[in-house]
Amino acid sequence: MLAEAALALGVWLQLAAGQEAPGRGAQPSISNAEGDILFLLDSSGSVSYYEFSKVKEFMWDLVRPFSFGPKDVQTSIIHISTTPTMEFPFDRYQSRGGVQQAIRDTRQLMGDTNTGQALSYAKEKFFSNEAGARPEVPKVLVWVTDGFSTDDISEPMQLLKDMGVTVFIVSTGRGNYLELSAAASQPPEKHLHFVDVDDLPIITKELRDAMLDVIQANRLHAVDITSSSFRLVWPELLSQETGYYSLEYAPTNNLAAKRTTQLSGAHTSFTVSNLTPETTYEVALVPESNVHYFPPQTTRVTTLAEEITPAQLLISESSPHSFQVSWAPTPDSVAAYQVLYGPLPGDSAQLLEVDGKRNSTVVENLAPNTTYLVTVTAIYRSGKEKSLSAKACTQEEGSKVRHLRFEDMGSNTLKASWDAADGKVLGYRVRCRRQTGPSSLISVSPQIHSVLLTDLPSGTTNKVCVKPMYKNQAGKGLCRMVRMQPATEARGYRHRQRA
């Protein structure tokens, strides 16, 4: 039985070897976000046309997964030039296609780099109805800069942060680390990135996740949706002493079948169960307060099809000879899982049997630097089957940084150098955790094997880590502690006084 299944998969793998996996490169949609995102775009003459176009690509990649609209994410662009200019207001484009085209059509203005003026202008537009800004949603500023400004940025930037704006800074030039770390929201290691303009894709997901922490929708929404249940989450509006919630839900096609549940004011979530698969439900949460009036919150949730597992397939903990395969969900109706895997291209395949109560397994004895096609099949007790496939890549042998060394460059500055890691490295990340002062994270291209670390006070011990970045995962990093020698007077030197 197993031999036949493996043979059948081997033939199928040959057919699939030359085909791309469905949705390759597609970004999962993010609908549970609500906020106004403003890009501060350096449009001055100090930026080349090539750099300007690469930054526009980065901006679109950053926001592409979001849903756009009056109850979702809105975005706008302000040009840094001699005079600040708004490219388009927040509420003009309410779809992915519209935002993409608007960013693509953005043209460089040239002129001076008056960033301080642009920040003051941004403060006005962030909170104005004229610019389409919304009063009660989180505000995020993303400033992409080459590190140069002709006017002061400290005061207008602080005013923005004082008004609740979260500031992310991406420096594609050298810049002044202390100035930029003070300008970004705290902590700087989460809100400040140094990266070459060609390596912007390295930080896209990390920056987007940090932005999502800020603009996660603060309203009634559903998570953990299955074929028969979903969990409702909402902001804290009441307390045990100030009131209760009335939760109402019914199928859209049968509102007369409404069900009502009362919850104490201490609740901020509730799981609705015993639902019908593939059905859309209208949900209303009514806060009943004896202190303030809160308008009802509503949402619409569609349950999934009954036979849904595996709906998610995750490849993790990749090494040169193994990786972990995980899937979700794991309903009780599944008796067992079959994990079939084979190299691409190739005509061999192997099969693993996994108990129906487990949701992961480790695939071992693999070849390094090889792409595998992995298929997880759920075998239901009813005899039905459901499969999901994904590609997985093993790491290259020796995918790690070696021989990290330091050179004293004077003026509280060190030069960190390392030997190249093996394989197709996309870039390196250098993190410096200072004994005093903020940490820093620098991203460099694969051809660069050294960076300058500045603002390291004498007498301090600092931790420096370098990690190679590959297409599918990070390689093994190397960390070293380095001590800055205390400043001492040169030996044998005596000050000669004039006669």
Side-chain angles (χ1 to χ4, degrees):
M1 175 70 180
L2 294 181
E4 293 176 354
L7 179 61
L9 177 65
V11 175
W12 177 71
L13 283 171
Q14 284 184 305
L15 296 174
Q19 300 177 0
E20 291 293 336
R24 181 185 179 190
Q27 297 282 355
S29 177
I30 300 174
S31 57
N32 183 33
E34 184 178 23
D36 290 338
I37 301 174
L38 179 63
F39 286 99
L40 203 61
L41 178 60
D42 192 342
S43 192
S44 67
S46 67
V47 177
S48 70
Y49 174 80
Y50 174 78
E51 292 171 326
F52 191 79
S53 63
K54 296 297 287 186
V55 170
K56 289 201 301 179
E57 291 178 17
F58 169 68
M59 289 162 52
W60 169 238
D61 286 341
L62 193 62
V63 300
R64 175 169 43 178
F66 292 122
S67 295
F68 297 94
K71 291 186 177 294
D72 296 291
V73 168
Q74 294 187 160
T75 190
S76 176
I77 296 174
I78 287 180
H79 292 270
I80 300 173
S81 184
T82 304
T83 302
T85 304
M86 175 171 282
E87 178 71 20
F88 52 84
F90 289 102
D91 57 353
R92 176 170 296 175
Y93 301 105
Q94 304 289 308
S95 68
R96 282 193 182 94
V99 172
Q100 180 184 23
Q101 189 61 47
I103 293 176
R104 182 182 295 137
D105 293 342
T106 299
R107 296 290 178 262
Q108 189 172 1
L109 301 183
M110 307 304 285
D112 295 330
T113 315
N114 292 329
T115 308
Q117 292 185 31
L119 288 168
S120 299
Y121 182 69
K123 181 175 72 69
E124 299 172 8
K125 298 304 178 184
F126 243 142
F127 301 94
S128 71
N129 294 330
E130 172 195 1
R134 295 165 292 180
E136 301 299 331
V137 303
K139 311 293 184 186
V140 170
L141 176 70
V142 180
W143 174 25
V144 185
T145 174
D146 62 0
F148 175 74
S149 177
T150 55
D151 58 353
D152 178 64
I153 67 168
S154 57
E155 183 176 353
M157 187 67 88
Q158 189 58 51
L159 289 175
L160 275 168
K161 292 189 289 186
D162 290 344
M163 298 178 76
V165 177
T166 302
V167 177
F168 294 92
I169 300 177
V170 178
S171 176
T172 60
R174 296 186 61 85
N176 183 310
Y177 175 75
L178 290 179
E179 180 182 49
L180 293 179
S181 63
S185 292
Q186 299 300 306
E189 55 264 28
K190 185 176 180 180
H191 299 87
L192 174 61
H193 295 269
F194 286 88
V195 59
D196 187 82
V197 71
D198 288 314
D199 300 321
L200 285 168
I202 296 176
I203 67 168
T204 300
K205 184 180 184 305
E206 183 178 344
L207 177 56
R208 185 191 301 126
D209 289 344
M211 293 167 58
L212 191 58
D213 288 342
V214 179
I215 62 175
Q216 199 80 33
N218 193 27
R219 61 170 185 257
L220 176 68
H221 61 277
V223 297
D224 302 334
I225 303 172
T226 71
S227 60
S228 61
S229 67
F230 51 77
R231 185 164 64 93
L232 295 167
V233 180
W234 59 89
E236 183 179 349
L237 302 175
L238 307 175
S239 67
Q240 188 79 36
E241 294 76 24
T242 59
Y244 63 93
Y245 296 101
S246 180
L247 179 65
E248 303 172 351
Y249 57 97
T252 301
N253 58 2
N254 186 15
L255 296 178
K258 180 178 70 174
R259 304 180 204 176
T260 302
T261 300
Q262 284 194 356
L263 305 170
S264 75
H267 279 75
T268 55
S269 67
F270 181 74
T271 299
V272 181
S273 55
N274 300 319
L275 304 176
T276 305
E278 291 186 279
T279 302
T280 300
Y281 286 83
E282 302 288 345
V283 182
L285 181 72
V286 184
E288 304 286 358
S289 172
N290 53 21
V291 179
H292 299 289
Y293 168 74
F294 295 97
Q297 297 197 32
T298 60
T299 190
R300 178 177 293 178
V301 188
T302 301
T303 53
L304 303 179
E306 186 172 12
E307 305 294 337
I308 58 168
T309 189
Q312 297 176 337
L313 197 57
L314 175 66
I315 309 296
S316 61
E317 300 182 15
S318 176
S319 72
H321 301 287
S322 67
F323 52 72
Q324 179 168 296
V325 184
S326 306
W327 55 88
T330 52
D332 294 335
S333 53
V334 174
Y337 294 95
Q338 291 182 343
V339 180
L340 305 174
Y341 60 96
L344 288 177
D347 56 1
S348 63
Q350 298 187 58
L351 182 146
L352 290 175
E353 291 275 2
V354 181
D355 184 86
K357 295 182 180 179
R358 293 176 56 190
N359 70 339
S360 68
T361 188
V362 176
V363 180
E364 299 178 306
N365 301 319
L366 304 176
N369 192 28
T370 301
T371 300
Y372 285 83
L373 183 63
V374 182
T375 300
V376 177
T377 302
I379 310 298
Y380 287 82
R381 302 185 192 281
S382 63
K384 295 181 180 180
E385 297 183 3
K386 171 89 174 184
S387 299
L388 188 65
S389 300
K391 290 183 179 179
C393 300
T394 52
Q395 288 188 6
E396 302 191 33
E397 293 279 13
S399 56
K400 61 182 179 180
V401 170
R402 296 183 296 272
H403 304 130
L404 178 59
R405 50 198 175 273
F406 302 99
E407 181 181 354
D408 188 353
M409 306 298 291
S411 300
N412 299 336
T413 300
L414 277 180
K415 180 180 180 181
S417 306
W418 61 91
D419 292 347
D422 296 332
K424 296 182 179 179
V425 180
L426 297 183
Y428 296 92
R429 287 191 175 180
V430 183
R431 185 181 295 275
C432 178
R433 299 189 183 277
R434 293 169 171 79
Q435 179 178 339
T436 59
S439 299
S440 61
L441 179 64
I442 304 173
S443 300
V444 298
S445 62
Q447 296 81 18
I448 296 177
H449 303 132
S450 65
V451 296
L452 290 179
L453 304 174
T454 60
D455 306 311
L456 301 172
S458 62
T460 62
T461 301
N462 310 278
K463 183 177 182 180
V464 179
C465 298
V466 181
K467 179 181 294 186
M469 306 302 296
Y470 293 88
K471 180 178 180 181
N472 297 292
Q473 68 278 313
K476 294 181 180 179
L478 179 62
C479 296
R480 281 187 58 189
M481 304 296 293
V482 57
R483 177 173 173 77
M484 300 296 293
Q485 294 299 322
T488 57
E489 185 178 6
R491 293 182 178 179
Y493 177 85
R494 292 184 179 181
H495 180 68
R496 178 182 296 176
Q497 296 184 356
R498 293 185 178 181

